[in-house]
Amino acid sequence: MSGTFLRLACTAAVAAQTVLAPVPCVAAPNPQRPVSQLLTDLQQLYRQTEQAAESYNATAEKLKRQRAEVSRLEGELTRARLALQAGRTDAGRLARQQYQGSTELGSYVRVLLAPDPQHALDEGHVIGELARERARTVDRLTAAEKRQDTLARAARKALDTQLTLADQQRRQRDDVQGRLGDVERLLASLTPDQLAAIARLEQQGVTEAQERLTTAGPLSDNRPASPAGTRAVRYALDQLGKPYRWGAQGPNAYDCSGLTSQAWSHAGTPIPRTSQEQWARLKKVPLNGLRPGDLVIYFPEATHVAMYVGAGRVVQAPRPGGRVTVSPLASLPVLGAVRPDAQAP
């Protein structure tokens, strides 16, 4: 984690104003409560909030794809209905022709009685071709009816799925807002001395974790970034100081995976939107093989992500109330790392 809780106490309320109603101040916590427990509680609340936010982001991506699928099916259904209408028009025309010619002699009898049998045979060939065209028209009409029915069922099902996803997204939004409210209430309940003590304890933990990481020797600065990685890092660093906001993908605010996905998109390599999908779908690399532009994934559930910039540091949108910043790589519990442009030399 980066920054101090003292600063977060002032900025978190501003960051949450877009989604939360003002919360009343609550009484200060029990003065006997240890600072370490307060820090643990805050870290747990931030982690739960980010988990909920990433679930919201994943559903938002599914909803976006589903809306596109509904639009595609509606377009196909419209075209199928037009084709069916044209087929019915053709079928009606053929039915009228058949009715009008129903008193004519059969083609075999006409050949026998014709003064010019060859001409009659040629005429019979034309009649046969007309019959085959009628059969093809009927087949097209039957296929068009089946396709319309199939597309209509698919469109209804896709729309039902879209409505389900939209409802799920609303519930997840409410979950995020509720967890942000928990963070706000806890921060509002702390005294300045408690906030300062929490900040010192947090910084001490980050320093110790970073020392353990570097002492073990897994990091190396001998690997230069790929051209795309350089562009991604440059984009991410250009966002320094912009606020964290859950669900945001820029240009004025970001959440953790919003920052990394936008950075790589601007580098010409689109990647999944959420940290969990980035962890699941991108190529994993060892920490001792990191190069600038790689993504570092945090927590066992892969609910936070940052971008490696070299020298054991990452750029990240840290958490509610924070701003895009450069932090030690070990500022949070590391799960692993992935490389968006795995095919680059």
Side-chain angles (χ1 to χ4, degrees):
M1 295 184 183
S2 61
T4 67
F5 280 107
L6 186 59
R7 183 174 68 253
L8 288 175
C10 299
T11 60
V14 176
Q17 282 176 356
T18 58
V19 294
L20 294 173
V23 295
C25 292
V26 297
N30 188 334
Q32 302 301 320
R33 194 176 182 191
V35 172
S36 60
Q37 185 60 51
L38 292 173
L39 175 59
T40 299
D41 290 348
L42 273 169
Q43 289 174 334
Q44 183 67 19
L45 286 173
Y46 280 125
R47 181 176 176 182
Q48 290 172 352
T49 300
E50 195 150 45
Q51 286 176 327
E54 287 298 279
S55 296
Y56 172 91
N57 290 337
T59 302
E61 288 298 295
K62 292 178 183 177
L63 183 56
K64 182 169 66 175
R65 292 193 295 269
Q66 192 63 30
R67 283 171 175 157
E69 176 66 5
V70 168
S71 178
R72 182 187 69 81
L73 286 172
E74 287 178 343
E76 286 198 26
L77 182 57
T78 298
R79 291 189 291 274
R81 285 171 174 163
L82 291 174
L84 179 57
Q85 182 179 353
R88 286 172 174 165
T89 299
D90 290 342
R93 175 179 54 80
L94 291 174
R96 289 191 299 273
Q97 290 176 350
Q98 184 174 3
Y99 174 78
Q100 292 167 356
S102 60
T103 60
E104 295 179 1
L105 294 174
S107 58
Y108 176 70
V109 176
R110 293 174 63 188
V111 170
L112 293 178
L113 300 179
D116 186 349
Q118 182 60 48
H119 176 75
L121 285 172
D122 292 340
E123 186 180 55
H125 173 74
V126 172
I127 293 173
E129 183 59 33
L130 289 173
R132 286 188 290 273
E133 176 59 27
R134 290 174 183 175
R136 288 193 292 267
T137 299
V138 172
D139 289 343
R140 285 197 299 269
L141 178 60
T142 303
E145 289 175 338
K146 290 181 179 179
R147 177 166 175 77
Q148 179 192 249
D149 291 342
T150 300
L151 285 172
R153 288 193 298 270
R156 285 194 296 269
K157 183 178 179 180
L159 183 58
D160 289 342
T161 301
Q162 176 179 312
L163 295 174
T164 299
L165 286 172
D167 182 63
Q168 178 180 339
Q169 187 187 41
R170 284 191 292 270
R171 293 196 304 271
Q172 290 170 336
R173 176 200 61 200
D174 294 342
D175 186 23
V176 175
Q177 291 175 344
R179 295 181 187 279
L180 281 171
D182 293 338
V183 173
E184 289 298 302
R185 284 184 284 274
L186 181 52
L187 286 173
S189 73
L190 300 177
T191 67
D193 288 343
Q194 286 174 317
L195 289 169
I198 290 173
R200 289 193 297 270
L201 184 60
E202 180 194 29
Q203 186 57 50
Q204 178 184 339
V206 171
T207 300
E208 292 173 355
Q210 188 74 6
E211 287 177 353
R212 288 193 299 270
L213 183 67
T214 55
T215 300
L219 301 179
S220 172
D221 288 323
N222 297 328
R223 294 175 178 80
S226 66
T230 298
R231 293 192 296 271
V233 169
R234 184 182 302 118
Y235 178 91
L237 292 176
D238 285 344
Q239 313 313 309
L240 289 175
K242 293 184 178 180
Y244 176 104
R245 189 174 75 241
W246 67 272
Q249 301 182 72
N252 299 319
Y254 297 88
D255 63 14
C256 66
S257 56
L259 176 65
T260 56
S261 61
Q262 283 298 303
W264 273 100
S265 177
H266 280 76
T269 305
I271 64 174
R273 166 66 175 92
T274 69
S275 58
Q276 292 168 329
E277 282 295 293
Q278 290 169 7
W279 173 247
R281 294 170 56 186
L282 300 180
K283 180 181 178 180
K284 294 175 176 59
V285 294
L287 293 182
N288 61 5
L290 281 174
R291 69 185 187 197
D294 290 344
L295 305 182
V296 181
I297 310 296
Y298 297 92
F299 298 117
E301 303 84 4
T303 51
H304 187 78
V305 60
M307 180 180 293
Y308 189 63
V309 296
R313 302 183 75 78
V314 295
V315 57
Q316 62 173 321
R319 61 193 178 195
R323 293 180 178 274
V324 177
T325 186
V326 174
S327 313
L329 186 150
S331 57
L332 294 168
V334 176
L335 174 62
V338 293
R339 179 163 295 160
D341 59 340
Q343 302 305 318

